[in-house]
Amino acid sequence: MSGEALVVSTGPVPDEVQALLAGVARVVVTDGSSAALLARAADVAGFIVRSEGHLPASLIEAAPRLRVIGRSGVGVDNVDVAAATRRGIPVIVTPDAGSIAVAEGAFALLLALAKRLRELDALVRAGRFAERERAVVAEFAGATLGVVGMGRIGRRVAALGTAFGMSVLAADPVLGDERLRELGAEPVTLPELFDRADHIALHAPLVPETSGMITADLLMSAGPGAFLVNLARGGLIASLDAVAAALDAGALAGVGLDVFDPEPPDLSHRLFSDPRVLLSPHALGLSDKSRERIFGDMARGVRAVLEGRRPAAVANPEVYRRSAGGG
C-alpha cells in the first residue's frame, strides 16, 4: 500500500506486529547489520530494534524521515537515545511487558542451581541412583536473597524471594532506603550485599555508571558458595574471567547467565564448559505471554507515533516535554 510508512526491523518479528501496523506501515526485516540498515535509511520512518540489534547515532542521523524507534524490551543500551532525542524522535519501550517472565526466569535459574538439578538428572540417567546421598541441595526458606537493581523486575524478584521465605537485601543507588524498605527489602551497599547474600540476582540497567560494576573483587567477596544469576545485561559483569575465578575459589557455587557481552558470546571461554554454569540465550524473558505483550505494546507505540499520537511508554519523554514547551 503506497501510503504506508516503511518500518525496518533488526531481526524477526511476529506476524502480530505487521497486523497491528496494517494500514499505517509495512515492516521489512533485515539481518540487523549496519549495511542492511543503512541501505534503507533514506526512506525509513521507523526502526524496530531487537535485543541483538544496534542503532548508533550514525544510523539515526542517516535517516532523514525517521520518526520513531521501537525497542522490543526495556533496555536501551543498544540505541543511541541521546541522538534520537536531539532529533525529537521518541524511543518506544515496553517496561512492564516482560517483567513477569524475567523474574520467573531468575528463580528458575536459582532453583536449578541450588537444587542441583543438572547433577541429579545426570545421576539418574547414568544409573548412579544411590549417589543421591552425596548430593547437597539448598533450601530457599531462611536464606538471604540479594537483588541488585530494584526496578520493575527487581521488585518482582524480591517479592518472589519473600514468598519463598527468604530475607531480601537490595542495592539500588536510585531508590532511597525508605522506599526499599517499603518494598520489603533491607537497603544495603553493593559490597554488603555480596558479603551477606546466599543468592544474588542482577537486575540493574546497563548505563555508563553500571558498566562493569560487578568487579572481580566483588565476585571474590561473595559466598562462600553463593549462587549468582544475571538476566539484566552481560556488561554489568566486569569479565567472564572474573566469574570463572570466583567459581574456582569457591566464592560462587554456581552461576546462571541469560545475557552476555557480546551476544552471542565467544564459546571458547572456559566458562561455557563449566558444569557449575547454566546458560540461556537471552530467552528467559520471552515467554509466550510476554512475547505477545512486548511486541504488541511496541507495535502499538510505533503506530501511535506514526499517527501523531503520544505512545504509552518512551525512553526519552523529554521529546514530548520539549514539544509542549514549544522549543
Side-chain angles (χ1 to χ4, degrees), residues 113 116 119 223-228 246-247 250-255 274-277:
L113 291 167
R116 309 287 184 181
E119 297 94 324
F227 296 98
L228 170 76
L247 283 166
L252 296 176
V255 173
D274 192 319
R276 298 166 294 184
V277 180

Side-chain angles (χ1 to χ4, degrees), residues 250-274:
L252 296 176
V255 173
L257 300 175
D258 182 56
V259 291
F260 308 90
D261 183 21
E263 292 186 353
D266 177 5
L267 298 182
S268 67
H269 194 281
R270 66 187 180 98
L271 204 68
F272 295 98
S273 59
D274 192 319

Side-chain angles (χ1 to χ4, degrees), residues 213-261:
M213 72 175 181
I214 309 301
T215 64
D217 288 344
L218 204 56
L219 290 167
M220 290 294 285
S221 72
F227 296 98
L228 170 76
V229 298
N230 185 12
L231 287 86
R233 287 292 186 268
L236 295 178
I237 299 176
S239 71
L240 295 181
D241 288 340
V243 176
L247 283 166
D248 291 343
L252 296 176
V255 173
L257 300 175
D258 182 56
V259 291
F260 308 90
D261 183 21

Side-chain angles (χ1 to χ4, degrees), residues 21-74:
L21 292 175
V24 174
R26 62 184 178 91
V27 179
V28 172
V29 175
T30 71
D31 62 8
S33 66
S34 295
L37 298 178
L38 189 59
R40 300 278 187 172
D43 299 315
V44 70
F47 281 118
I48 293 173
V49 186
R50 299 291 310 275
S51 61
E52 67 277 10
H54 293 275
L55 197 64
S58 57
L59 278 170
I60 293 172
E61 296 301 333
R65 300 182 182 181
L66 185 62
R67 296 166 56 193
V68 62
I69 298 167
R71 264 291 288 125
S72 55
V74 65

